[in-house]
Amino acid sequence: MSNRKPYVREMTRTWWKDSSFYRFYMLREATVLPLIFFTICLTFGLGCLVKGPDAWQGWLNFMANPIVIILNIIALAGSLFHAQTFFSMMPQVVPIRIKGKKLDKKIIILAQWAVVAVITAIVLALV
């Protein structure tokens, strides 16, 4: 048996900064952070709704804070960015064939956004 040590490549904390692909990947994954804040806000809002009108009004006042509004706008932008990157990958992951021909990527992406728009319109109509 040899006494040689195996080669272990050094991994720095900033390894992802060296490649534009990985920087984009890290940005995409970082979109979860504002969404966590948004989810926590909604969870507390449901709890306040259950507690009664005073708690609900307190939550509404909190949500009207300009900092919270800005964070929610950032969360919306992050969510839309995440959806756009997911939708743009979809034709590569699940290529759709109709009568043996591949469906154009743009049609698949636009169809997904159309479904999002229809669901949004239905929800807004119900509210």
Side-chain angles (χ1 to χ4, degrees):
M1 212 158 196
S2 173
N3 290 333
R4 298 170 97 193
K5 293 181 182 178
Y7 173 72
V8 179
R9 190 170 84 176
E10 185 179 330
M11 183 69 73
T12 64
R13 291 181 353 159
T14 59
W15 62 267
W16 53 272
K17 290 183 177 180
D18 297 334
S19 168
S20 62
F21 176 81
Y22 289 120
R23 282 193 306 268
F24 184 76
Y25 173 79
M26 294 299 275
L27 175 66
R28 181 178 187 270
E29 294 304 310
T31 59
V32 75
L33 298 175
L35 292 176
I36 290 171
F37 172 77
F38 179 74
T39 304
I40 290 170
C41 283
L42 284 183
T43 304
F44 276 104
L46 288 173
C48 290
L49 186 62
V50 170
K51 289 180 183 176
D54 292 336
W56 176 249
Q57 189 58 47
W59 183 77
L60 288 177
N61 292 339
F62 171 75
M63 292 302 286
N65 185 325
I67 294 172
V68 175
I69 292 172
I70 290 170
L71 287 173
N72 282 327
I73 291 171
I74 292 171
L76 176 63
S79 178
L80 291 173
F81 173 71
H82 197 86
Q84 188 275 329
T85 57
F86 178 79
F87 288 169
S88 66
M89 284 188 287
M90 190 69 166
Q92 297 167 356
V93 176
V94 183
I96 299 175
R97 295 183 181 273
I98 298 178
K99 296 183 181 178
K101 286 182 145 186
K102 261 189 180 179
L103 198 58
D104 187 30
K105 293 178 182 181
K106 290 180 181 179
I107 293 173
I108 297 171
I109 294 169
L110 289 174
Q112 293 175 99
W113 281 113
V115 169
V116 168
V118 167
I119 291 172
T120 301
I122 290 170
V123 170
L124 288 175
L126 293 175
V127 176

